[in-house]
Amino acid sequence: MLKIDELLLAETKGKIDNSLEEAIQRVCPCKKEIDDSVFGSLLALDSILITKEKAKNIIYSTVEEFWGNIDLFLHSTLQTTTIDIENANERLHSFITSKTGKKAIFDHLLIHNHFEFDNLLALVFGKDIKLSFPAGGLQQINLFQIGKKFFLHIIYNDKNEFWNILFAKKIYSIFLQTPLQKIKDVMQLIDCFKFILEKHYTLNQSVVVTNNLIKQLDEQNVRSYQLKELHLFNLILHFNGGKRHYKKLNRLIEWILSSWGNGKWALSEKENALLVYMLAMNASEQNDIEKVIEYGRYLIHQDRLINHSIELLVEYSNVLPNLKPEPATLVKGYNKNYLEQIFYILIDALIQNEQFDEVVSLLKKHEIASCSSIYDYFNAPQFDQDMLHRIEATVQRDIAYIVHNSPQHVLQSIEIWLNDYQNEKSPYYEIAIETSNHVCNLLKVFFATEQYELFEKLIEVYNKYLKIDSHYYELREFVSKYVKA
C-alpha cells in the first residue's frame, strides 16, 4: 500500500466525512491556495506521485498478494470455463512472478490506465472472462504517467467508497497542480473523475464540480489540444446534465465556436458536426423552426454527419442516439439513431415552414430520410402500382418485427399492435407516436405537391395501422386550409 494511503486510512478509519479533509490537511497539505468550497483541499503533489520503479514494485507485490491464488469461491466460478482448474494456481503464480508476466501487467496499465482481475485472467489463460464481483479483496489498480513520475492508486474492496473518493481527490489535486502537457491520457483521467463523482454524488453536483475544475484549468493552462478536448467534455456534461445545465448549452457552444474556431487547435469538421447536432436538438426542443432548418441543412449538406458517423459514435456515444439506422423500415423510433433523428426534425420544421418541395427533394436523395419503399417510389424510372403496395407490406413487416421480432406471424402481430399501440403504457406507444407524426408530415407533403396516388395509398395504410386521433385531426385541418388557400 502507498504510504500516503496508509496514513490517510489510519487517520480517517476509512470514513469520508470531514475527517478525510482534516486528515489531508494534517498529513499532506498543499500550499496552493484554492477555493476549497468546491471539492475540498488539495493533496500535496509530492505525496501522490512516485517513481516508475516504486510504482512497479507496489503493483507487482499487490497483484501477487491479492490475486496470486485462486480461492475456493473463484475455483467454483471458473469451473464453468475451459480453464484447467487443476493447474490454474501454478500457472497464475508462475506468470505473476516471471519477468514477462510483470512486464505484461505494467504494459497493460500503461496502455489502458487500469487493471482488474479479469485482465489478469486474460493475460495468463488467454480467456476473456468477465466476473460479476471483485476478486481477492482488490477491485482495481489505476496508473497514469504525470511528467517523469507516476500516479498510482489502488481501489480495495474493503472501505470501497473511501478509496473511490480518495481517487477523485487525488485526480483533482493533480489537475490543479500540473500543466496539462505533463499529464498523459488527460481525457482518461478526467473520465475517471466524472465516473466517481456520478457514482457517489448527484448528477447536478457532478456537473458543478467538473465544470468548476475545467474553468480553473482553462485559466491556468495555455491553449492546447487537451484543453480543447476538456471544453468539449464539459459541453457534453451540460448536454446530459439535466434541465438546469442544459439551459446553458447554447451559450457554451457559442463560446467554444468563438474560442476554438480558428488557429492551431481549431475545431475539426467532426467536432463542428457534434456542436451543430446539439444546437439542432436544442432548437427542436425550443420549436425554433428557422434554426432547426439551418442546422439540419448544415449536417446533411456534404454528408457531414454520415462522413464522420463512425468516429462520432465511438467518441461521443453518450451524446448521439446510436442504434443502427433502419432505412428499410417506416414504423420505428425515429429518435433512436442520430441520422434518422436529424431528418425527422428537419422534415417536421420544413413542413411547418411550408417548404414542401425541399422535403420531396430530401426523400428522393436520401433513403434514410423516410424509408426504402418511399425512396424507391420516387426513384423508379416510371410509375409502378407495385411500388405503392410495397408501402403497406413494409408497414406490416415492421409491425411484425416490433411485436414478435419475426415476420412469421404477421396477422397475429398486427392484431396485438392494433389492440395496444394507442395505449400510453404500451411498449409500442412511443414508436407509434413518432411514426404517426412522420407519416402525417409525409401526407401533408404529398398532398401539397400533388402526389395524389402516393397520398391515397399512404393515408389508407395510416388509417389501417398507425392512426393517432390528434395527429389525424391536425392533418385534416391542414388539408382543409390548403384547399381553401
Side-chain angles (χ1 to χ4, degrees):
M1 187 181 287
L2 285 157
K3 186 67 177 174
I4 184 65
D5 293 349
E6 200 176 313
L7 290 170
L8 290 172
L9 181 62
E11 288 277 332
T12 62
K13 304 292 188 287
K15 295 177 181 176
I16 55 168
D17 51 18
N18 287 340
S19 57
L20 179 57
E21 283 302 309
E22 291 165 3
I24 288 169
Q25 289 164 17
R26 283 196 305 272
V27 174
C28 49
C30 172
K31 293 178 181 177
K32 181 174 179 175
E33 290 187 13
I34 63 154
D35 178 2
D36 61 7
S37 67
V38 178
F39 199 58
S41 308
L42 301 182
L43 289 83
L45 205 57
D46 59 6
S47 70
I48 304 172
L49 304 183
I50 57 178
T51 63
K52 185 177 184 178
E53 206 54 42
K54 189 172 182 180
K56 282 183 174 181
N57 290 336
I58 294 172
I59 291 163
Y60 301 149
S61 62
T62 302
V63 169
E64 187 170 359
E65 178 185 351
F66 288 92
W67 293 334
N69 182 54
I70 293 177
D71 59 25
L72 287 173
F73 184 63
L74 272 173
H75 195 280
S76 62
T77 303
L78 296 176
Q79 276 183 329
T80 58
T81 71
T82 55
I83 290 175
D84 178 8
I85 298 296
E86 297 304 317
N87 300 309
N89 272 329
E90 188 181 329
R91 285 180 66 183
L92 194 60
H93 185 263
S94 176
F95 180 87
I96 289 170
T97 55
S98 70
K99 281 186 178 179
T100 53
K102 289 177 178 179
K103 184 178 184 302
I105 291 168
F106 195 75
D107 286 349
H108 185 284
L109 274 161
L110 286 179
I111 295 167
H112 301 285
N113 305 119
H114 62 86
F115 192 73
E116 298 175 5
F117 188 64
D118 296 2
N119 306 126
L120 181 61
L121 291 178
L123 290 175
V124 177
F125 302 106
K127 306 286 182 185
D128 187 16
I129 300 165
K130 295 295 177 190
L131 299 178
S132 58
F133 52 89
L138 182 65
Q139 181 179 318
Q140 189 180 71
I141 298 171
N142 300 277
L143 185 72
F144 290 85
Q145 188 169 350
I146 313 292
K148 293 182 179 179
K149 291 201 169 183
F150 286 82
F151 166 40
L152 173 66
H153 185 75
I154 299 166
I155 297 177
Y156 303 91
N157 294 345
D158 188 36
K159 297 183 171 44
N160 186 267
E161 189 175 12
F162 169 81
W163 297 114
N164 273 288
I165 297 299
L166 183 56
F167 189 22
K169 296 283 290 179
K170 288 180 180 179
I171 294 170
Y172 188 75
S173 301
I174 287 169
F175 270 125
L176 291 181
Q177 296 177 81
T178 313
L180 287 176
Q181 287 88 336
K182 287 192 174 182
I183 301 174
K184 194 180 176 190
D185 301 318
V186 166
M187 297 315 297
Q188 286 82 345
L189 193 58
I190 196 74
D191 219 32
C192 287
F193 185 69
K194 168 181 169 280
F195 177 79
I196 297 165
L197 292 186
E198 289 181 351
K199 186 177 177 183
H200 296 282
Y201 297 89
T202 67
L203 180 60
N204 178 57
Q205 288 171 320
S206 170
V207 176
V208 168
V209 171
T210 310
N211 178 62
N212 189 281
L213 171 59
I214 291 171
K215 271 187 180 178
Q216 292 183 75
L217 293 176
D218 186 53
E219 290 167 5
Q220 67 184 40
N221 284 276
V222 297
R223 283 169 66 86
S224 64
Y225 176 75
Q226 291 94 330
L227 189 60
K228 180 181 75 169
E229 289 290 290
L230 285 171
H231 283 147
L232 290 171
F233 181 87
N234 192 34
L235 178 65
I236 291 166
L237 278 185
H238 282 75
F239 186 80
N240 294 322
K243 286 183 180 179
R244 176 184 166 189
H245 300 288
Y246 191 83
K247 287 177 182 176
K248 302 173 185 175
L249 198 68
N250 277 18
R251 182 163 49 83
L252 270 174
I253 291 175
E254 285 169 13
W255 183 85
I256 288 174
L257 288 169
S258 64
S259 298
W260 301 96
N262 48 53
K264 186 178 180 182
W265 310 111
L267 293 164
S268 64
E269 186 176 77
K270 173 193 71 181
E271 290 161 343
N272 269 308
L274 175 72
L275 299 187
V276 176
Y277 168 82
M278 289 183 181
L279 288 169
M281 298 316 300
N282 191 42
S284 177
E285 286 196 16
Q286 303 297 324
N287 201 29
D288 187 338
I289 296 167
E290 296 298 335
K291 287 295 183 185
V292 171
I293 293 171
E294 178 191 339
Y295 299 140
R297 282 173 177 165
Y298 172 87
L299 292 169
I300 289 165
H301 184 60
Q302 297 179 351
D303 290 332
R304 285 188 175 97
L305 267 185
I306 294 170
N307 290 344
H308 300 291
S309 58
I310 294 173
E311 293 171 275
L312 285 165
L313 286 178
V314 169
E315 295 177 41
Y316 305 111
S317 60
N318 54 345
V319 175
L320 303 167
N322 55 12
L323 283 187
K324 186 180 176 183
E326 298 180 320
T329 64
L330 181 62
V331 186
K332 57 190 169 188
Y334 284 82
N335 65 350
K336 301 298 183 187
N337 174 271
Y338 67 98
L339 289 169
E340 291 172 335
Q341 187 182 42
I342 287 297
F343 277 105
Y344 180 84
I345 65 171
L346 176 58
I347 286 171
D348 191 68
L350 287 169
I351 287 164
Q352 288 186 63
N353 226 28
E354 299 188 358
Q355 292 171 254
F356 306 114
D357 288 330
E358 186 170 343
V359 176
V360 171
S361 177
L362 289 175
L363 296 171
K364 284 181 178 178
K365 288 180 184 176
H366 303 280
E367 188 177 16
I368 205 168
S370 183
C371 70
S372 303
S373 53
I374 301 288
Y375 174 81
D376 291 343
Y377 175 88
F378 278 114
N379 288 283
Q382 58 190 32
F383 176 76
D384 183 348
Q385 193 72 30
D386 286 342
M387 289 286 186
L388 294 174
H389 296 308
R390 273 185 59 195
I391 296 170
E392 183 166 7
T394 295
V395 169
Q396 291 176 339
R397 183 205 60 209
D398 295 348
I399 290 170
Y401 271 101
I402 290 166
V403 175
H404 285 123
N405 197 31
S406 165
Q408 298 296 319
H409 310 287
V410 173
L411 293 178
Q412 186 184 347
S413 299
I414 290 170
E415 185 180 350
I416 293 169
W417 169 270
L418 292 175
N419 285 332
D420 287 355
Y421 82 91
Q422 295 190 43
N423 179 354
E424 289 185 22
K425 295 180 181 178
S426 159
Y428 318 126
Y429 184 72
E430 186 181 347
I431 291 173
I433 289 292
E434 289 180 19
T435 304
S436 170
N437 187 59
H438 176 69
V439 171
C440 283
N441 277 335
L442 296 184
L443 287 165
K444 291 172 189 176
V445 170
F446 300 154
F447 189 84
T449 56
E450 300 180 3
Q451 308 276 342
Y452 294 127
E453 296 93 346
L454 194 50
F455 176 86
E456 286 172 12
K457 182 62 185 177
L458 189 57
I459 199 163
E460 177 195 328
V461 171
Y462 178 73
N463 284 325
K464 264 187 181 179
Y465 309 104
L466 303 167
K467 186 177 177 184
I468 299 289
D469 287 342
S470 59
H471 293 173
Y472 180 72
Y473 295 141
E474 199 262 327
L475 172 65
R476 273 190 10 185
E477 191 178 336
F478 168 86
V479 171
S480 176
K481 283 181 180 177
Y482 200 84
V483 169
K484 288 175 184 176

